[in-house]
Amino acid sequence: MSSAQDPFYIVREEIQDSIDKLQTTFHQWEKIPSNTGEHVHLTKELHTSCESIEWQVDELEKTILVASRDPAYYGLDEVELSRRRNWIGSARNQVAAVRRGVEKGKSNSAFSAHQDMGTSRSNHYTTQDNDDFITSESDRQQLLMRQQDEELDELSESVQRIGGVGLTIHEELSGQERILNDLSLEMETTSNRLDFVQKRVAMVMKKAGIKGQIMLILFLVVLFIVLFVLVFLT
């Protein structure tokens, strides 16, 4: 399977795009003064993005663990598995670097505020940091819930499709069963009629004797010829 068709590489590209956007936002965050509303908003966005990307990387790493149990089944080798593990490690390092930068920036901001405004102002910023953390956790939980809802919707659609296919198969089998029952009944009726005719013919042949049998055969031959002429030649 080529890289363009491999689901791992498709998901990897999506995660890498998210990491690139995360780093771009982080660079913007570094240039904004820490005492502004935009700085607080970007801090929350960076926390949420880090949590989301880390979750996606964890899920992608699970696929590598599954594939490593039987690489040949998935058309992989140890070199490819090692390459994928290296990328997972690189992605984690990129996200961790952004997270450390954000945490360091928040610590520096809190320290400066403590020096300039005293203990009461420091307590105010500590409360604000806690609120930001709680909000970030809430955003993360909402993101996970949305992802779970989407997965449940997809699962529900798959179950409905499978149920529809099963119902169609059941109806088809029921129809074929009815046809077979009708055919069996017709064959049984036809067999009974043939037995009856054979018995009557045998009785007639027995009563007629040899001469009568010959006459009956000639009569049947003549009747067959007449019917053939009437059906096919007129």
Side-chain angles (χ1 to χ4, degrees):
M1 181 183 296
S2 65
S3 298
Q5 297 175 338
D6 194 322
F8 174 86
Y9 286 98
I10 295 175
V11 176
R12 193 190 77 171
E13 289 298 325
E14 295 177 355
I15 296 177
Q16 188 61 56
D17 289 342
S18 299
I19 294 175
D20 294 340
K21 293 178 182 178
L22 175 69
Q23 293 175 337
T24 300
T25 304
F26 176 70
H27 294 322
Q28 295 175 353
W29 176 84
E30 290 181 309
K31 299 176 183 178
I32 298 174
S34 60
N35 58 349
T36 62
E38 184 178 1
H39 187 274
V40 174
H41 173 74
L42 287 180
T43 301
K44 296 178 182 178
E45 182 178 340
L46 288 171
H47 274 296
T48 302
S49 297
C50 285
E51 294 287 348
S52 175
I53 294 172
E54 287 172 346
W55 179 83
Q56 295 177 51
V57 172
D58 289 340
E59 293 300 313
L60 191 59
E61 186 178 25
K62 292 178 183 178
T63 65
I64 299 177
L65 294 176
V66 173
S68 63
R69 297 171 185 170
D70 189 4
Y73 178 80
Y74 298 95
L76 303 176
D77 53 25
E78 289 300 328
V79 175
E80 176 62 21
L81 290 174
S82 177
R83 186 183 299 115
R84 297 187 180 192
R85 293 190 188 101
N86 292 337
W87 184 88
I88 291 292
S90 174
R92 290 189 188 279
N93 292 335
Q94 294 178 71
V95 176
V98 173
R99 184 183 288 278
R100 288 194 299 270
V102 174
E103 295 298 331
K104 182 178 179 181
K106 289 175 63 178
S107 299
N108 293 337
S109 176
F111 179 77
S112 298
H114 176 75
Q115 294 293 328
D116 296 339
M117 301 179 184
T119 303
S120 61
R121 180 63 69 179
S122 177
N123 292 335
H124 171 76
Y125 278 108
T126 301
T127 303
Q128 182 66 42
D129 290 340
N130 291 335
D131 292 340
D132 293 343
F133 176 76
I134 294 173
T135 302
S136 175
E137 286 297 315
S138 177
D139 293 340
R140 176 176 175 272
Q141 293 297 329
Q142 291 179 0
L143 176 62
L144 292 176
M145 290 177 64
R146 285 197 300 270
Q147 292 174 341
Q148 291 175 354
D149 290 339
E150 292 176 356
E151 293 175 355
L152 288 175
D153 290 339
E154 293 178 357
L155 179 60
S156 177
E157 292 176 358
S158 299
V159 171
Q160 290 178 357
R161 288 195 296 269
I162 294 173
V165 172
L167 182 60
T168 301
I169 294 174
H170 174 72
E171 293 177 351
E172 182 67 22
L173 291 175
S174 298
Q176 293 181 359
E177 183 179 4
R178 288 193 297 269
I179 293 173
L180 290 174
N181 290 335
D182 294 340
L183 180 60
S184 176
L185 181 60
E186 291 179 0
M187 291 180 64
E188 184 177 356
T189 302
T190 303
S191 177
N192 292 335
R193 291 177 179 176
L194 286 174
D195 290 340
F196 176 77
V197 171
Q198 288 177 352
K199 291 178 180 179
R200 294 300 300 270
V201 171
M203 291 176 61
V204 172
M205 295 289 289
K206 185 176 180 180
K207 292 179 179 180
I210 298 200
K211 184 176 181 181
Q213 291 177 9
I214 295 173
M215 295 296 295
L216 181 59
I217 292 172
L218 292 176
F219 173 76
L220 292 175
V221 171
V222 173
L223 180 61
F224 173 76
I225 295 172
V226 173
L227 292 175
F228 180 81
V229 171
L230 292 176
V231 172
F232 295 99
L233 300 181
T234 59

